[in-house]
Every structure is written in structure tokens, then in C-alpha cells.
Amino acid sequence: KFKLDDEARPVGVYLKEQKEANQLIEEFMLLANRAVAEFVGDTKEKNKKAFVYRVHEKPEIEKLERLSQFVARFGHRIKIDGSKKELSRSINKLLSDVKGKREQNLVENISLRSMPKALYTTHNVGHYGLAFDFYTHFTSPIRRYPDLMVHRLLTRYLASGRSVSQPKLEECCEHCSNMEQLAEQAERASIKYKQVEFMSKHMGVPYGATISGVTEWGIYAEINENKCEGLISIHDLDGDFYVFDEKNYCLIGQRTHKRYTLGDQIKIEVKNCNLEKKQMDYIISKEK
């Protein structure tokens, strides 16, 4: 989140805290969503009524294996075989175990990238991430269009109405999934824009950061206090020629054998900010 001045320019960045009251509302929301999906979908009727489900498929085994290898670097373990519920419990335990630890943000992001995207559909396959057999979007602190679709369907079915057309409803579900992705992209872009705008006023200031990504062209670092991420080009890593080790998520200096590894703590400074491209370039700070 950003503190803005009267001209909507960011003058501060802070992390929104999730309190117990937020978690309580979240639990009520999840239970309401599940109850509505079960009411319509968990039936012995031959001709089930068409409905909007929020589904989340099981991740691919290759992605789970890569996640398992990654979290093992921090001393954590996850199951990569077993039932949906066992796998889901294992990942939830991982996310609980990393709470408050230096690797929390990194493990959460990598875990999220390992998962397929949740979407709206009339074909219920359950929700892997929540370990629910039936789930929909009926209520939340925000009002989404799929919630309204579900309200209308529930009202219709409570009044003993006939099922709506499944193919037409599936088209609406697909549209809502596509619009959700567009909205997420717009949100990420707006946050990145404000981050770049904020950091452009702090060029040359040293910040503690965590290496959040490693590629053959450099390392991505995320500033610990405000989560602003930028790239340190491989050409800006002084004193050696670095080679990308994909298996171990690191860059290795050929002469000094110095390593820059995913999750490492480093000190950085802002080298350049490009507001148009929403990009920040960092360099390793000389300050110890």
C-alpha cells in the first residue's frame, strides 16, 4: 500500500497487516462459499443443475518436485504424492511453518507460482488449494460479478426453477476468468508503477534486500522494507564473470566462486528507474 500526497504521488510504502478479525471474516467467507456450492452441487439427482464453481486443479508433479527441492534448501519438506487432501495439507503446513521466517515471502511466492490458476467453470473438479470438494464465489469483502451470477442461480433454484443452459453459463464463466486475469494484471501494473515512482526519489540510498529471482541475465532483488523488486544486471556484478546455475537457483563467479543464490540477503542501491516501462535497475551497494 502507498501513502500519497495531494498530487497522488507516493511518499511512503507500507505493508498491510492481516489481523485476527480479517482471518475470522475470511473463514466465514470460505464456509459460506462452500455451503452454497454443496447445496446446489452435492446432490443425488440425475440431472444436476448448472452452476458456477470456483475450481483449482492439482499442480503438475514436475512443479511439485521443483518446489520440494527449493524448500528443502531452507530445511522444509512437502509431500509430492498422495491424495489431494494430503498434498494440500502438506503445502498449507509449509506456509504455516515459514510464517515470520526470513524465507516466508520467497517460499510463498514460489509456492504460488507452482500452482495452476483457479478459475470459474460449470465443471466441478473441486478446489485443490482449499481441499474442498465443492466451492464457489458467493460472498467476499468485495463484490465480484461471479458472486452476482451465483446469487441469481441460487434464488432461481430455491424457487424450484429449472436449470439454466449449461453451455451459455460456461461461456459466462470463461469470460469472468479472463476478466479476472486482466484485472490482476492491471493491479500488478499499477502497484509496480507506484513502486518505481516512489523509488525514483531514493536513488543511491542503500537498502537491505532479498534475492527473489535468478536468471542468466542477472538477479532480481526485493527490498525487505517495501517489497519493491528490481533487476541487478549480470553486467553490473563487478569483479568476476558469473554463470547461471539453473538447478541451484544461483549465479556463480568463475574466478572467485562467489555465489548469488535465491533467498540470499544483500544490500542494494537504485541505479535507474523507468516509469514508462515500470522497471527498476539495482546495483550491489558498496556500503557494508
Side-chain angles (χ1 to χ4, degrees):
K1 295 286 182 180
F2 300 93
K3 291 173 184 165
L4 305 175
D5 64 14
D6 293 339
E7 302 294 323
R9 289 186 295 257
V11 293
V13 185
Y14 64 96
L15 301 180
K16 192 176 177 184
E17 186 183 351
Q18 177 117 355
K19 298 185 178 178
E20 288 184 357
N22 301 102
Q23 293 167 5
L24 184 65
I25 294 298
E26 191 175 84
E27 289 299 319
F28 288 152
M29 178 192 78
L30 293 173
L31 291 171
N33 289 346
R34 185 175 71 175
V36 170
E38 285 177 345
F39 177 77
V40 177
D42 193 9
T43 174
K44 302 288 189 256
E45 291 178 19
K46 279 187 180 178
N47 298 318
K48 290 191 176 182
K49 292 180 169 67
F51 198 58
V52 176
Y53 295 99
R54 178 69 168 178
V55 304
H56 185 230
E57 300 212 36
K58 182 177 170 181
E60 298 167 11
I61 188 68
E62 294 84 3
K63 289 188 176 180
L64 279 179
E65 284 172 349
R66 284 201 294 271
L67 176 62
S68 177
Q69 289 165 10
F70 172 71
V71 299
R73 300 171 60 84
F74 300 98
H76 302 293
R77 295 178 63 187
I78 59 164
K79 282 180 72 72
I80 58 172
D81 52 17
S83 69
K84 271 187 183 182
K85 288 194 175 178
E86 286 173 329
L87 293 174
S88 184
R89 282 195 201 104
S90 176
I91 291 174
N92 285 333
K93 183 179 183 304
L94 166 70
L95 297 177
S96 175
D97 289 345
V98 299
K99 281 265 166 36
K101 296 183 178 173
R102 72 178 183 90
E103 69 268 22
Q104 178 182 347
N105 193 50
L106 198 57
V107 169
E108 286 176 346
N109 283 334
I110 298 293
S111 299
L112 198 60
R113 289 176 203 168
S114 303
M115 300 290 134
K117 287 196 74 65
L119 49 85
Y120 299 105
T121 180
T122 57
H123 307 291
N124 182 40
V125 295
H127 198 294
Y128 170 80
L130 295 172
F132 287 169
D133 292 328
F134 294 88
Y135 192 65
T136 188
H137 272 172
F138 167 75
T139 187
S140 84
I142 57 172
R143 180 60 61 237
R144 300 160 293 217
Y145 191 74
D147 298 48
L148 301 181
M149 290 166 62
V150 168
H151 294 176
R152 291 164 184 163
L153 290 169
L154 185 60
T155 301
R156 179 189 181 101
Y157 296 155
L158 282 170
S160 301
R162 293 171 60 188
S163 176
V164 299
S165 164
Q166 186 271 330
K168 281 188 178 178
L169 188 59
E170 183 63 28
E171 278 183 30
C172 293
C173 287
E174 189 177 338
H175 175 75
C176 287
S177 295
N178 292 337
M179 292 303 101
E180 179 187 34
Q181 287 191 36
L182 278 177
E184 284 177 0
Q185 289 166 16
E187 182 181 13
R188 280 197 296 269
S190 69
I191 290 170
K192 192 70 181 178
Y193 184 92
K194 285 298 178 188
Q195 285 179 332
V196 175
E197 190 178 10
F198 175 74
M199 292 306 296
S200 66
K201 305 291 189 292
H202 297 80
M203 308 278 278
V205 178
Y207 287 96
T210 302
I211 295 179
S212 54
V214 184
T215 69
E216 58 190 13
W217 55 85
I219 56 179
Y220 288 91
E222 186 178 76
I223 295 174
N224 296 330
E225 67 180 69
N226 57 30
K227 306 303 176 191
C228 294
E229 189 181 59
L231 173 69
I232 303 172
S233 169
I234 200 165
H235 303 299
D236 287 326
L237 294 173
D238 296 333
D240 210 338
F241 178 76
Y242 287 86
V243 174
F244 178 44
D245 181 348
E246 189 175 4
K247 267 191 177 178
N248 295 301
Y249 299 95
C250 66
L251 289 177
I252 305 172
Q254 294 302 282
R255 183 175 55 80
T256 61
H257 302 293
K258 181 173 175 58
R259 286 171 174 251
Y260 287 102
T261 306
L262 203 59
D264 282 355
Q265 297 298 304
I266 57 175
K267 191 157 272 192
I268 62 93
E269 294 177 14
V270 181
K271 178 188 176 185
N272 183 51
C273 287
N274 187 321
L275 203 53
E276 191 176 324
K277 293 183 177 178
K278 298 182 286 293
Q279 290 175 354
M280 287 177 286
D281 294 318
Y282 294 161
I283 54 172
I284 301 293
S285 176
K286 298 277 194 293
E287 186 176 305
K288 298 296 182 188

